[in-house]
Amino acid sequence: MGELYLDKHVAYIKSLDKKKDFDAVVMEHLRMSGAYWGLTALDIMGRLGDMNVDEIVSWILMCQDDCGGFGGNHEHDPHILYTLSAVQILALFDRVDAVDADKIASYISGLQNEDGSFSGDEWGEIDTRFSYCAICCLSLLKRLDKINLEKACNFVASCKNFDGGFGCAPGGESHAGQTFCCVGALAIGGALHHVDKDLLGWWLAERQVKSGGLNGRPEKLPDVCYSWWVLASLVIMERVHWIDRKKLEQFILDCQDPECGGISDRPDDAVDVFHTFFGVAGLSLLGFPGLAAIDPAYALPVNVVDRVFYGHKKQLAAS
């Protein structure tokens, strides 16, 4: 078994907030998602306690717009992608009660279209990523009743292709990233019957290449991020045994920077927080020692999801 440079990855993630280089400036609009990737990776590695909770929560609340949605950074326009990231971070810290769930739910429900799809923001772009964001976020807020869930799931189902995969819209090319969004949305929405598990499982298993890594579409290069998109979908469908787990594990470990920490898309490329999170999350799904288990549908540690949905009952039982 290869080595996971856990302490190096923790140090790398913690250093990102202090960086003021060119990369940090051009990625400023993605800071909310970057915070979710980094903080969730820290939680999986057992080091979320190193962070200043109050400072992070305060910044998140500053990023909320009057409409209820969250932007990618302070004074940035709200978008459903960053709204989900904000709620996921609050769930990590057990601080979902710091926001008005009904106000957020109202923002999200206002983005649902007549056909059940969701727009990403007020400008109207439609994508199955946004369907996942809406369903996942409202589920974490326990507000799924604020949307037409049946229509939402039927729209996602309409994006299924002949190969079992899903695209960004009806007729769109099957893509592993979009497939996760659709499978995850249907799983959370209680509509996984729309998925042809054997057909899709075959298509996803075909995403593994000789190096052990996974790609997002046929004839593409492997990329560590698909260690989440593909793997999580297979776990949800109980088809993860259809790929070579050990070869995938080694591919992820080969993408680490052993000196400075972080994980890249492929061996010897530059690291970033996006691939660091999905690499660590992929290893978690593979049961790598020393990592907390992650929920394949919510993309949050299992203990966090359990706390969101069952924490109150557990506290009552304990008392």
Side-chain angles (χ1 to χ4, degrees), residues 18-306:
K18 301 178 179 64
K19 288 189 175 181
K20 302 298 179 184
D21 56 10
F22 177 76
D23 288 344
V25 173
V26 298
M27 299 299 286
E28 187 182 58
H29 66 293
L30 289 174
R31 194 179 182 209
M32 186 67 74
S33 291
Y36 157 70
W37 298 325
L39 292 168
T40 308
L42 287 176
D43 202 9
I44 296 169
M45 294 187 288
R47 297 288 293 275
L48 186 63
D50 293 1
M51 308 306 291
N52 186 319
V53 178
D54 291 335
E55 184 177 298
I56 294 170
V57 172
S58 176
W59 169 74
I60 289 173
L61 296 179
M62 287 172 58
C63 296
Q64 187 173 26
D65 188 81
D66 291 340
C67 69
F70 291 79
N73 209 334
H74 181 45
E75 296 186 342
H76 285 228
D77 291 342
H79 195 285
I80 200 167
L81 288 170
Y82 307 124
T83 300
L84 172 59
S85 293
V87 171
Q88 287 172 313
I89 296 170
L90 293 172
L92 284 176
F93 291 122
D94 197 17
R95 296 288 293 274
V96 175
D97 59 354
V99 292
D100 184 336
D102 288 325
K103 188 174 183 180
I104 299 172
S106 177
Y107 166 72
I108 293 174
S109 65
L111 294 173
Q112 186 170 30
N113 302 302
E114 182 58 35
D115 63 357
S117 66
F118 284 85
S119 301
D121 57 17
E122 63 178 310
W123 306 111
E125 180 188 6
I126 295 171
D127 191 307
T128 46
R129 290 178 301 156
F130 309 150
S131 296
Y132 171 77
C133 289
I135 292 173
C136 183
C137 190
L138 290 177
S139 179
L140 290 170
L141 295 172
K142 302 175 186 177
R143 297 294 191 279
L144 273 175
D145 60 324
K146 300 300 183 182
I147 59 170
N148 189 321
L149 184 59
E150 183 178 3
K151 272 191 172 184
C153 291
N154 286 340
F155 172 78
V156 170
S158 74
C159 300
K160 182 170 65 176
N161 293 315
F162 71 93
D163 52 18
F166 293 81
C168 62
E173 179 187 8
S174 293
H175 186 283
Q178 303 291 157
T179 293
F180 162 77
C181 290
C182 293
V183 172
L186 293 173
I188 296 171
L192 207 53
H193 60 275
H194 287 298
V195 178
D196 186 331
K197 296 179 182 178
D198 286 339
L199 181 60
L200 178 54
W202 168 83
W203 187 81
L204 290 170
E206 286 291 304
R207 305 280 59 77
Q208 190 164 37
V209 301
K210 290 182 179 180
S211 66
L214 301 164
N215 62 24
R217 292 175 289 163
E219 304 302 321
K220 296 295 184 178
L221 293 173
D223 188 316
V224 158
C225 71
Y226 295 110
S227 303
W228 173 261
W229 309 121
V230 172
L231 202 58
S233 300
L234 288 171
V235 171
I236 291 171
M237 299 188 301
E238 301 180 329
R239 300 294 187 277
V240 71
H241 57 287
W242 287 10
I243 63 167
D244 190 324
R245 295 159 59 104
K246 286 298 179 185
K247 286 189 71 174
L248 175 58
E249 180 181 289
Q250 192 56 56
F251 175 78
I252 298 171
L253 295 174
D254 288 343
C255 294
Q256 300 178 99
D257 182 335
E259 295 181 2
C260 300
I263 299 175
S264 59
D265 57 347
R266 285 178 284 278
D268 301 321
D269 281 356
V271 304
D272 58 68
V273 69
F274 175 83
H275 290 95
T276 299
F277 165 62
F278 287 116
V280 171
L283 290 173
S284 171
L285 286 176
L286 292 168
F288 195 88
L291 298 178
I294 188 168
D295 187 285
Y298 288 95
L300 287 169
V302 169
N303 69 308
V304 172
V305 177
D306 285 347

